[in-house]
Amino acid sequence: MISYKMVISNMSLSFSDLHLERKYTTEGELSPSKDFYNPVLSRAILYQRVAGYFSSSSFAFIGDGLYSFIQNNGKMQFIFNVQLLEEDYKQIELGLSHPEKIIESKFLSDLSTIEDECVKNHAKLLGWLLAHNILDVKIGYLEPSIT
């Protein structure tokens, strides 16, 4: 199960101005990233997501909306499963324990390159979002029940 919540940035921008469908699928004519995520993210200031599975490769499809989201001082709050790709885990650990290393590395010093970085360096982007306090991550897991 995946749960999402996005909050609008200000009263002059509104989700109601967007032509949004009730449903988006990867098999349909409409693209979830192009027709939903990017337009909605570009107007949001809060993106909350709960997902059983997460990979930073999902950033590859939302670079355009993510640029505006960051410009709007948006905040992301994600909860996902403990099963992560090794590179995502390393970037989460680095972004949380040593954010200064990411900041000093000058990665994404020019925000206008974010669309390219979302594709080429999505795991590094994950660490960058954490180091800059744009993203807050919680890892959820179920302990085995004792019967």
Side-chain angles (χ1 to χ4, degrees):
M1 178 181 151
I2 300 175
S3 174
Y4 304 98
K5 178 180 179 185
M6 294 197 204
V7 176
I8 195 68
S9 62
N10 61 51
M11 297 310 278
S12 65
L13 293 175
S14 169
F15 293 144
S16 64
D17 295 351
L18 299 173
H19 178 70
L20 298 175
E21 299 297 324
R22 290 183 160 274
K23 181 179 179 181
Y24 294 87
T25 64
T26 54
E27 292 85 29
E29 284 182 30
L30 299 174
S31 161
S33 57
K34 179 178 165 257
D35 298 311
F36 176 74
Y37 281 108
N38 282 305
V40 172
L41 269 176
S42 69
R43 295 171 180 236
I45 59 164
L46 178 63
Y47 176 18
Q48 296 176 318
R49 178 178 180 174
V50 177
Y53 175 77
F54 172 82
S55 169
S56 63
S57 63
S58 62
F59 291 137
F61 305 102
I62 61 169
D64 184 41
L66 192 55
Y67 174 82
S68 298
F69 180 81
I70 293 169
Q71 295 285 37
N72 292 338
N73 294 311
K75 299 292 179 199
M76 300 174 149
Q77 299 171 334
F78 289 1
I79 300 173
F80 41 79
N81 192 325
V82 70
Q83 294 178 342
L84 295 167
L85 297 174
E86 184 176 343
E87 188 59 29
D88 287 349
Y89 178 80
K90 286 179 183 177
Q91 288 298 319
I92 289 170
E93 190 171 47
L94 183 61
L96 293 175
S97 61
H98 300 290
E100 71 282 354
K101 289 183 179 180
I102 293 174
I103 293 168
E104 290 169 2
S105 75
K106 305 276 192 227
F107 173 76
L108 203 57
S109 59
D110 179 4
L111 193 57
S112 69
T113 64
I114 195 166
E115 285 187 67
D116 288 336
E117 298 299 348
C118 282
V119 174
K120 295 177 190 171
N121 293 304
H122 45 81
K124 278 187 172 182
L125 178 65
L126 176 62
W128 185 90
L129 291 166
L130 287 161
H132 286 83
N133 295 312
I134 296 167
L135 173 61
D136 182 33
V137 168
K138 303 282 188 234
I139 307 296
Y141 66 96
L142 296 174
E143 291 185 8
S145 62
I146 300 173
T147 56

